[in-house]
Amino acid sequence: MTTQTWNVMNKHRIAAITEVKLKHCPAPTYKPPADVRSTMTCPKCGGRLAFTVSSQTGISTGRCNSVGCVTWSAQ
Ligand SMILES: [Zn+2]
């Protein structure tokens, strides 16, 4: 994997995490009131990206349906 590819992947991953956090982790607690298990449109491929957010920790994990696309854990 080239550095350029990594940067592009990272950019989309950050965009996805930011969207999840803005929607589900508002101030002042930065945690959702209940565990979130949902899907969003993948910012990279436009496919379905499934994610979860813990109400205990506010930590999210997500993965796009497309192989080798956006994925993250414990962010
Ligand atoms: Zn994707």
Side-chain angles (χ1 to χ4, degrees), residues 54-67:
S54 167
S55 62
Q56 299 290 315
T57 59
I59 287 173
S60 66
T61 297
R63 191 163 69 89
C64 178
N65 261 2
S66 303
V67 176

Side-chain angles (χ1 to χ4, degrees), residues 16 19 39-49:
E19 189 173 325
T39 60
M40 62 188 278
T41 302
C42 175
K44 186 182 179 205
C45 72
R48 208 165 71 104
L49 195 165

Side-chain angles (χ1 to χ4, degrees), residues 5-68:
T5 304
W6 166 247
N7 285 342
V8 170
M9 284 293 294
N10 207 32
K11 187 179 77 176
H12 288 108
R13 194 171 64 134
I14 289 168
I17 295 169
T18 302
E19 189 173 325
V20 168
K21 294 285 185 184
L22 284 175
K23 195 170 179 183
H24 297 289
C25 305
T29 61
Y30 302 101
K31 297 172 193 170
D35 285 352
V36 176
R37 181 176 294 272
S38 188
T39 60
M40 62 188 278
T41 302
C42 175
K44 186 182 179 205
C45 72
R48 208 165 71 104
L49 195 165
F51 65 92
T52 61
V53 189
S54 167
S55 62
Q56 299 290 315
T57 59
I59 287 173
S60 66
T61 297
R63 191 163 69 89
C64 178
N65 261 2
S66 303
V67 176

